[in-house]
Amino acid sequence: MSTIGPRPSAPRPSTTAPQTETRPMATAKTAPAAATNTVSAVQRSSFDAPVTKAAAQPMPGAWRGGPDTEVGKAIAGMITRMRASDASGIQIKGDTMESLFTRAILDNKHLSNDQLLAMSKVKLEQLADGPEDSAKILKKIPNARDLPVHKFTVGMLAAVTGVDPKALSEASPGLGMTGAPDVFVFAAGSEGLQRSTALHDFTDYLRGAGVKGVNKAVWGVENRVLSAIVSAVGGGRY
Protein backbone atom coordinates (compact mmCIF):
# COMPACT_ATOMS: atom_id res chain seq x y z
CA MET A 1 0.00 0.00 0.00
CA SER A 2 1.40 3.32 -1.08
CA THR A 3 1.59 6.23 1.21
CA ILE A 4 -0.41 9.38 0.61
CA GLY A 5 1.87 12.24 -0.34
CA PRO A 6 1.37 15.68 -1.76
CA ARG A 7 -0.32 15.76 -5.25
CA PRO A 8 1.84 16.91 -8.10
CA SER A 9 0.86 20.41 -9.17
CA ALA A 10 -0.34 20.88 -12.81
CA PRO A 11 1.78 23.21 -14.90
CA ARG A 12 0.27 26.68 -15.13
CA PRO A 13 -0.24 28.26 -18.54
CA SER A 14 2.26 30.85 -19.41
CA THR A 15 1.08 34.39 -18.87
CA THR A 16 3.34 35.65 -21.57
CA ALA A 17 1.50 36.21 -24.90
CA PRO A 18 2.90 34.15 -27.76
CA GLN A 19 4.91 36.07 -30.23
CA THR A 20 3.08 36.94 -33.44
CA GLU A 21 4.51 35.17 -36.40
CA THR A 22 6.09 37.64 -38.69
CA ARG A 23 5.36 36.95 -42.35
CA PRO A 24 7.60 38.17 -45.07
CA MET A 25 6.30 41.17 -46.99
CA ALA A 26 5.34 40.71 -50.61
CA THR A 27 8.30 41.07 -52.79
CA ALA A 28 8.34 42.94 -56.04
CA LYS A 29 7.78 39.63 -57.82
CA THR A 30 4.71 38.50 -55.84
CA ALA A 31 2.84 41.85 -55.67
CA PRO A 32 2.15 42.20 -59.39
CA ALA A 33 0.93 38.62 -59.52
CA ALA A 34 -1.58 39.27 -56.75
CA ALA A 35 -2.74 42.46 -58.44
CA THR A 36 -3.13 40.62 -61.72
CA ASN A 37 -5.23 37.92 -60.09
CA THR A 38 -7.46 40.56 -58.50
CA VAL A 39 -7.99 42.43 -61.76
CA SER A 40 -8.60 39.15 -63.55
CA ALA A 41 -11.30 38.20 -61.05
CA VAL A 42 -13.01 41.58 -61.46
CA GLN A 43 -12.90 41.28 -65.22
CA ARG A 44 -14.36 37.80 -65.14
CA SER A 45 -17.25 38.94 -62.98
CA SER A 46 -18.14 41.94 -65.11
CA PHE A 47 -17.21 41.00 -68.67
CA ASP A 48 -17.22 37.22 -68.77
CA ALA A 49 -20.77 36.72 -67.55
CA PRO A 50 -22.80 34.17 -69.53
CA VAL A 51 -24.17 35.76 -72.68
CA THR A 52 -27.94 35.63 -72.94
CA LYS A 53 -28.99 34.67 -76.45
CA ALA A 54 -31.64 36.77 -78.13
CA ALA A 55 -35.02 35.13 -78.24
CA ALA A 56 -35.67 33.33 -81.51
CA GLN A 57 -38.15 34.99 -83.82
CA PRO A 58 -41.52 33.27 -83.70
CA MET A 59 -42.49 31.36 -86.80
CA PRO A 60 -45.42 33.06 -88.58
CA GLY A 61 -48.41 30.92 -89.48
CA ALA A 62 -47.88 28.55 -86.55
CA TRP A 63 -51.66 28.17 -86.23
CA ARG A 64 -51.68 26.27 -89.54
CA GLY A 65 -49.72 23.33 -88.15
CA GLY A 66 -46.93 22.42 -85.76
CA PRO A 67 -43.25 22.26 -86.75
CA ASP A 68 -43.46 18.51 -87.33
CA THR A 69 -46.40 18.67 -89.74
CA GLU A 70 -45.99 18.82 -93.51
CA VAL A 71 -47.37 22.35 -93.75
CA GLY A 72 -45.36 23.47 -90.72
CA LYS A 73 -42.13 22.28 -92.30
CA ALA A 74 -43.06 23.92 -95.61
CA ILE A 75 -43.76 27.26 -93.91
CA ALA A 76 -40.51 27.07 -91.94
CA GLY A 77 -38.56 26.64 -95.18
CA MET A 78 -40.41 29.55 -96.80
CA ILE A 79 -39.78 31.92 -93.91
CA THR A 80 -36.13 30.92 -93.52
CA ARG A 81 -35.46 31.66 -97.19
CA MET A 82 -37.50 34.87 -97.01
CA ARG A 83 -35.54 36.17 -94.02
CA ALA A 84 -32.33 35.56 -95.93
CA SER A 85 -33.72 37.62 -98.82
CA ASP A 86 -34.92 40.33 -96.43
CA ALA A 87 -31.32 40.72 -95.27
CA SER A 88 -30.81 42.80 -98.43
CA GLY A 89 -32.82 45.53 -96.70
CA ILE A 90 -35.34 46.07 -99.51
CA GLN A 91 -38.72 47.29 -98.26
CA ILE A 92 -41.79 48.65 -100.05
CA LYS A 93 -44.02 51.10 -98.20
CA GLY A 94 -42.74 49.79 -94.85
CA ASP A 95 -43.23 46.12 -95.72
CA THR A 96 -40.53 43.49 -95.83
CA MET A 97 -41.10 40.36 -97.87
CA GLU A 98 -41.87 38.44 -94.69
CA SER A 99 -44.35 40.98 -93.30
CA LEU A 100 -46.30 41.24 -96.57
CA PHE A 101 -46.32 37.47 -97.09
CA THR A 102 -47.39 36.84 -93.51
CA ARG A 103 -50.22 39.35 -93.59
CA ALA A 104 -51.56 38.60 -97.07
CA ILE A 105 -50.92 34.86 -97.33
CA LEU A 106 -50.12 33.04 -94.08
CA ASP A 107 -52.72 34.88 -91.97
CA ASN A 108 -55.31 34.80 -94.75
CA LYS A 109 -58.22 32.60 -93.64
CA HIS A 110 -59.39 32.31 -97.26
CA LEU A 111 -56.20 30.47 -98.22
CA SER A 112 -55.86 26.79 -97.34
CA ASN A 113 -52.91 24.68 -96.24
CA ASP A 114 -53.26 22.67 -99.43
CA GLN A 115 -52.71 25.82 -101.46
CA LEU A 116 -49.60 26.64 -99.44
CA LEU A 117 -48.23 23.16 -100.03
CA ALA A 118 -49.00 23.49 -103.74
CA MET A 119 -46.99 26.75 -103.82
CA SER A 120 -43.98 25.00 -102.33
CA LYS A 121 -43.94 22.50 -105.23
CA VAL A 122 -44.05 24.99 -108.13
CA LYS A 123 -41.08 24.71 -110.53
CA LEU A 124 -39.09 27.44 -112.26
CA GLU A 125 -40.40 26.67 -115.73
CA GLN A 126 -43.97 27.20 -114.50
CA LEU A 127 -43.12 30.78 -113.53
CA ALA A 128 -41.15 31.84 -116.62
CA ASP A 129 -42.35 34.79 -118.70
CA GLY A 130 -41.33 33.13 -121.94
CA PRO A 131 -38.91 34.55 -124.53
CA GLU A 132 -41.43 36.75 -126.37
CA ASP A 133 -42.88 38.42 -123.27
CA SER A 134 -39.41 38.82 -121.77
CA ALA A 135 -38.22 40.60 -124.91
CA LYS A 136 -41.21 42.99 -124.85
CA ILE A 137 -40.71 43.77 -121.16
CA LEU A 138 -36.98 44.43 -121.48
CA LYS A 139 -37.51 46.58 -124.56
CA LYS A 140 -39.79 48.91 -122.56
CA ILE A 141 -37.95 48.58 -119.22
CA PRO A 142 -34.28 47.66 -119.95
CA ASN A 143 -33.30 47.87 -116.25
CA ALA A 144 -36.29 45.83 -114.99
CA ARG A 145 -34.11 43.28 -113.19
CA ASP A 146 -32.26 46.01 -111.29
CA LEU A 147 -35.34 47.63 -109.77
CA PRO A 148 -36.04 47.09 -106.05
CA VAL A 149 -39.67 46.11 -106.72
CA HIS A 150 -38.48 43.34 -109.06
CA LYS A 151 -35.97 42.05 -106.50
CA PHE A 152 -38.64 42.20 -103.79
CA THR A 153 -41.15 40.21 -105.86
CA VAL A 154 -38.54 37.69 -106.98
CA GLY A 155 -37.32 37.21 -103.41
CA MET A 156 -40.80 36.56 -102.04
CA LEU A 157 -41.81 34.17 -104.84
CA ALA A 158 -38.48 32.32 -104.81
CA ALA A 159 -38.63 31.89 -101.03
CA VAL A 160 -42.09 30.32 -101.21
CA THR A 161 -41.42 28.01 -104.15
CA GLY A 162 -37.81 27.20 -103.32
CA VAL A 163 -36.54 28.04 -106.81
CA ASP A 164 -33.24 29.85 -107.28
CA PRO A 165 -33.86 33.64 -107.16
CA LYS A 166 -31.21 34.43 -109.78
CA ALA A 167 -32.70 31.92 -112.18
CA LEU A 168 -36.19 33.28 -111.49
CA SER A 169 -35.07 36.86 -112.18
CA GLU A 170 -33.50 35.75 -115.45
CA ALA A 171 -36.59 33.80 -116.50
CA SER A 172 -39.17 36.39 -115.42
CA PRO A 173 -38.07 40.02 -115.82
CA GLY A 174 -41.74 41.03 -115.65
CA LEU A 175 -42.01 40.27 -111.93
CA GLY A 176 -42.82 43.52 -110.16
CA MET A 177 -43.64 45.40 -113.36
CA THR A 178 -47.12 46.90 -113.63
CA GLY A 179 -49.32 46.02 -116.59
CA ALA A 180 -49.03 43.30 -119.22
CA PRO A 181 -46.38 42.95 -121.93
CA ASP A 182 -48.91 42.51 -124.73
CA VAL A 183 -50.78 45.72 -123.79
CA PHE A 184 -48.65 48.11 -121.74
CA VAL A 185 -46.08 47.59 -119.02
CA PHE A 186 -44.22 50.07 -116.83
CA ALA A 187 -42.31 50.38 -113.58
CA ALA A 188 -44.61 51.98 -111.02
CA GLY A 189 -43.31 55.08 -109.30
CA SER A 190 -45.43 55.11 -106.15
CA GLU A 191 -44.65 52.64 -103.39
CA GLY A 192 -48.33 51.89 -102.93
CA LEU A 193 -48.65 50.67 -106.51
CA GLN A 194 -45.30 48.88 -106.29
CA ARG A 195 -46.46 46.90 -103.26
CA SER A 196 -49.82 45.97 -104.77
CA THR A 197 -48.08 44.98 -108.03
CA ALA A 198 -45.55 42.84 -106.16
CA LEU A 199 -48.31 41.01 -104.31
CA HIS A 200 -50.52 40.63 -107.38
CA ASP A 201 -47.63 39.25 -109.43
CA PHE A 202 -46.97 36.82 -106.57
CA THR A 203 -50.55 35.53 -106.58
CA ASP A 204 -51.13 35.67 -110.34
CA TYR A 205 -47.87 33.95 -111.34
CA LEU A 206 -48.83 31.17 -108.93
CA ARG A 207 -52.28 31.03 -110.54
CA GLY A 208 -50.56 30.70 -113.91
CA ALA A 209 -48.41 27.91 -112.45
CA GLY A 210 -51.54 25.95 -111.55
CA VAL A 211 -52.17 26.93 -107.91
CA LYS A 212 -55.88 27.66 -108.12
CA GLY A 213 -57.72 30.12 -105.92
CA VAL A 214 -54.79 32.27 -104.76
CA ASN A 215 -56.01 35.38 -106.59
CA LYS A 216 -59.49 34.90 -105.14
CA ALA A 217 -58.16 34.35 -101.62
CA VAL A 218 -56.25 37.65 -101.69
CA TRP A 219 -58.21 39.87 -104.09
CA GLY A 220 -61.69 38.42 -103.95
CA VAL A 221 -61.72 37.43 -107.66
CA GLU A 222 -59.71 34.81 -109.53
CA ASN A 223 -59.67 36.44 -112.99
CA ARG A 224 -56.26 37.85 -113.88
CA VAL A 225 -57.48 41.20 -115.21
CA LEU A 226 -60.16 41.81 -112.59
CA SER A 227 -57.81 40.90 -109.73
CA ALA A 228 -55.22 43.29 -111.18
CA ILE A 229 -57.79 46.09 -111.15
CA VAL A 230 -58.70 45.34 -107.53
CA SER A 231 -55.01 45.41 -106.71
CA ALA A 232 -54.41 48.70 -108.49
CA VAL A 233 -57.24 50.52 -106.68
CA GLY A 234 -56.00 49.36 -103.28
CA GLY A 235 -58.47 46.54 -102.61
CA GLY A 236 -57.81 43.08 -101.31
CA ARG A 237 -58.29 40.83 -98.29
CA TYR A 238 -55.12 41.68 -96.38
Side-chain angles (χ1 to χ4, degrees), residues 1-8:
M1 182 174 178
S2 61
T3 60
I4 299 176
R7 296 181 180 177

Side-chain angles (χ1 to χ4, degrees), residues 19-35:
Q19 293 184 350
T20 304
E21 182 181 355
T22 302
R23 297 184 179 181
M25 296 179 63
T27 63
K29 291 184 178 179
T30 60

Side-chain angles (χ1 to χ4, degrees), residues 78-132:
M78 294 173 182
I79 294 299
T80 298
R81 291 187 292 268
M82 206 165 291
R83 287 175 179 173
S85 294
D86 270 331
S88 65
I90 298 175
Q91 294 187 16
I92 300 180
K93 206 171 176 59
D95 264 314
T96 63
M97 300 171 207
E98 181 182 349
S99 67
L100 182 59
F101 174 70
T102 298
R103 186 171 72 254
I105 305 298
L106 288 185
D107 292 344
N108 191 329
K109 303 294 184 179
H110 301 284
L111 199 140
S112 69
N113 285 356
D114 287 340
Q115 287 170 303
L116 277 172
L117 291 172
M119 292 178 193
S120 69
K121 298 172 183 176
V122 169
K123 306 300 181 184
L124 175 63
E125 54 271 19
Q126 296 172 276
L127 301 169
D129 282 333
E132 291 185 8

Side-chain angles (χ1 to χ4, degrees), residues 102-177:
T102 298
R103 186 171 72 254
I105 305 298
L106 288 185
D107 292 344
N108 191 329
K109 303 294 184 179
H110 301 284
L111 199 140
S112 69
N113 285 356
D114 287 340
Q115 287 170 303
L116 277 172
L117 291 172
M119 292 178 193
S120 69
K121 298 172 183 176
V122 169
K123 306 300 181 184
L124 175 63
E125 54 271 19
Q126 296 172 276
L127 301 169
D129 282 333
E132 291 185 8
D133 283 349
S134 293
K136 291 177 182 178
I137 293 165
L138 293 173
K139 183 177 180 180
K140 295 179 180 179
I141 314 170
N143 65 332
R145 293 190 180 98
D146 298 324
L147 298 177
V149 65
H150 172 77
K151 295 178 181 179
F152 185 100
T153 312
V154 166
M156 189 163 64
L157 190 54
V160 169
T161 60
V163 304
D164 178 67
K166 291 183 179 179
L168 181 57
S169 177
E170 184 65 28
S172 303
L175 283 168
M177 304 302 108

